[in-house]
Amino acid sequence: MSFVSHVECTVCGARHDAKRLLTVCERCGQMLAVRYDLERVRAQVTKDALRGRPPGMYRFRELTPLDEDETPVTLGEGGTPLLPLPRLAAHLGLRHLWGKDEGQNPTGSFKARGLGMAITRARTLGARGFVIPSAGNAGGAAAAYAARCGLPCVVIVPRDTPAAAVAEAALAGAHVFTLEGSIATAGKVVARVAPALGWFDLSTLKEPYRLEGKKTMGLELAEQLDWTMPDVLLYPTGGGTGLIGIPKGYQELLAMGWVAGALPRIVAVQAEGCAPVVKALADKAETTTAWEDPTTHAAGLRVPSPFAGRQMLRILRDTGGGAIAVGERAIEEGQRLLARVEGVWTSPEGGALVAALLEMKARGEVTADARVVLMLTGAGIKYDPPGLPAPVDLEGSDEAIVARIRRAV
Ligand SMILES: *Cc1c(COP(=O)(O)O)cnc(C)c1O
């Protein structure tokens, strides 16, 4: 038995049986979320008991949908460091800044958490294969976890997806297809192919299990900040699993009395070339509308019509957060700055957060003493590196080479 009470529609509230393999709400077609008997969880675990457990996503087992005896399909996801970023903080005029380095996950991104959890659960509940539309990292992670449990996987990505993510999926034995368009185009194909194959559709937030994996970022953050919440949390936003998952984790801990106070102001960071959430928030809209011709090198942000737009907007408003779009140049500069001053090569999505924080600080939207967390969602090494001058080529005599290096440093 797990601690799950039921699965609930986030819009109409309809209750669904958690023992069945679920996708979207059977009544209204909207996003589902797993609900727990938090009283029972609180009676079962203590913060002290947690200390004796190994790091990783299943450290918070009672707050996952796994059955008591269920063995997770795992590659060691979760347990990523919350790195203090004192040199970047000084550069920005801040005093308390951290980066959650999700690039240290298996497959180099936080997608490992969601897909590890979803594939674990879906396999137990009878899935015989998986189909996923992706901008890159989700496809790579899905392929890896499918390989890990010996089930087949179809990955459909846009043609311009970063090569490492495509290779990662293909190496793991997935059937990889590319097409003209974005993840939205891929999603339309997946919606037809998954039922035709009888395989499970892993599309972002069109099933309730990936969210439970992403939620563990919030649980870890709470523990790593000694059971407190930061004041501001910046999240690079595509489909929004973490944007919705992190506050879900915090809410559960609040209900258990493990943390207290207000949720952090959650800030959605997007690229200027694809900013449906930024636009919808500025327009005070109920949900997002499809972004025409989405373009950005931050592949994870190239999501023109997120399924859970309304749920994201609600969180941004309820937490007094915001949404900000940054340009491609600023994203690259953000990557270079973080690498140069802290040694962290984050993905373009992480670079976007650095750019956004610079802008928010300049506008007075974060104060110097705010406690700020950047969700550094992926490893930079999976993408083309940001532009850099070519290294100086050494030739000539030993003396000439030494002189050349002395001149350069
Ligand atoms: C997928 C992805 C994102 C966007 O995450 P969502 O939960 O879909 O909003 C951000 N960064 C990286 C590196 C990603 O792979």
Side-chain angles (χ1 to χ4, degrees):
M1 224 179 55
S2 72
F3 291 82
V4 172
S5 56
H6 62 286
V7 176
E8 186 178 79
C9 177
T10 57
V11 175
C12 78
R15 290 169 79 102
H16 295 65
D17 179 2
K19 289 182 203 69
R20 287 174 43 230
L21 183 59
L22 296 165
T23 53
V24 294
C25 177
E26 283 156 1
R27 196 203 284 168
C28 74
Q30 295 282 348
M31 183 200 137
L32 296 176
V34 178
R35 303 294 177 212
Y36 297 84
D37 184 346
L38 295 172
E39 273 304 314
R40 262 183 62 228
V41 177
R42 184 163 68 168
Q44 177 77 22
V45 266
T46 61
K47 289 177 184 171
D48 264 352
L50 213 58
R51 262 185 226 125
R53 296 184 184 180
M57 195 160 78
Y58 296 101
R59 175 180 184 77
F60 303 99
R61 172 130 193 164
E62 291 83 356
L63 289 175
T64 74
L66 266 62
D67 295 330
E68 198 177 322
D69 55 356
E70 190 170 353
T71 308
V73 181
T74 181
L75 293 162
E77 57 290 336
T80 58
L82 182 65
L83 302 171
L85 302 174
R87 289 165 50 81
L88 181 63
H91 184 89
L92 293 170
L94 296 170
R95 283 199 282 280
H96 314 284
L97 179 63
W98 295 268
K100 179 91 169 134
D101 190 8
E102 290 292 302
Q104 295 194 37
N105 272 300
T107 73
S109 92
F110 70 156
K111 292 295 194 305
R113 295 181 189 261
L115 288 151
M117 187 72 75
I119 285 178
T120 293
R121 214 46 212 138
R123 178 186 68 148
T124 300
L125 295 173
R128 285 169 292 128
F130 302 98
V131 190
I132 188 165
S134 171
N137 286 329
Y145 286 90
R148 187 81 168 141
C149 65
L151 287 173
C153 186
V154 167
V155 174
I156 307 182
V157 294
R159 250 172 232 153
D160 55 6
T161 298
V166 175
E168 175 180 48
L171 266 172
H175 306 278
V176 185
F177 302 89
T178 60
L179 45 66
E180 179 64 38
S182 72
I183 189 173
T185 333
K188 287 190 185 124
V189 177
V190 166
R192 301 184 76 103
V193 163
L197 296 174
W199 291 0
F200 190 63
D201 180 347
L202 288 164
S203 298
T204 307
L205 297 171
K206 290 187 179 170
E207 49 72 36
Y209 315 109
R210 277 175 70 181
L211 183 65
E212 296 308 292
K214 290 287 183 75
K215 178 185 87 179
T216 61
M217 293 190 291
L219 305 177
E220 281 178 22
L221 275 173
E223 187 181 22
Q224 286 171 318
L225 288 178
D226 201 16
W227 305 108
T228 66
M229 294 180 278
D231 300 311
V232 184
L233 187 142
L234 276 71
Y235 184 84
T237 306
T241 46
L243 194 153
I244 298 169
I246 293 166
K248 184 176 191 289
Y250 281 142
Q251 294 284 10
E252 290 169 1
L253 295 175
L254 276 164
M256 287 166 58
W258 280 31
V259 293
L263 290 185
R265 287 161 55 203
I266 299 198
V267 178
V269 178
Q270 299 201 297
E272 280 171 1
C274 183
V277 174
V278 178
K279 180 172 189 306
L281 192 70
D283 292 349
K284 300 189 170 24
E286 182 84 7
T287 187
T288 47
T289 47
W291 189 273
E292 299 291 324
D293 192 22
T295 49
T296 171
H297 289 102
L301 307 186
R302 200 166 155 245
V303 181
S305 40
F307 179 59
R310 71 180 61 232
Q311 289 83 353
M312 286 193 261
L313 290 163
R314 198 192 298 155
I315 286 165
L316 300 178
R317 291 192 187 112
D318 288 354
T319 65
I324 181 165
V326 293
E328 296 301 298
R329 218 18 119 63
I331 289 175
E332 281 206 11
E333 273 163 22
Q335 281 182 286
R336 282 190 291 256
L337 178 60
L338 183 62
R340 193 172 65 243
V341 304
E342 298 284 7
V344 178
W345 183 4
T346 191
S347 67
E349 295 85 348
L353 301 188
V354 177
L357 186 56
L358 262 163
E359 205 165 312
M360 289 176 69
K361 183 67 180 48
R363 290 191 207 155
E365 290 171 6
V366 277
T367 54
D369 59 355
R371 299 163 80 234
V372 182
V373 168
L374 303 178
M375 295 306 296
L376 303 174
T377 46
I381 202 164
K382 289 185 80 178
Y383 300 68
D384 286 341
L388 292 168
V392 173
D393 191 56
L394 297 172
E395 55 183 357
S397 67
D398 287 358
E399 291 72 29
I401 286 174
V402 170
R404 183 67 193 83
I405 294 174
R406 286 177 61 107
R407 208 163 0 108
V409 301

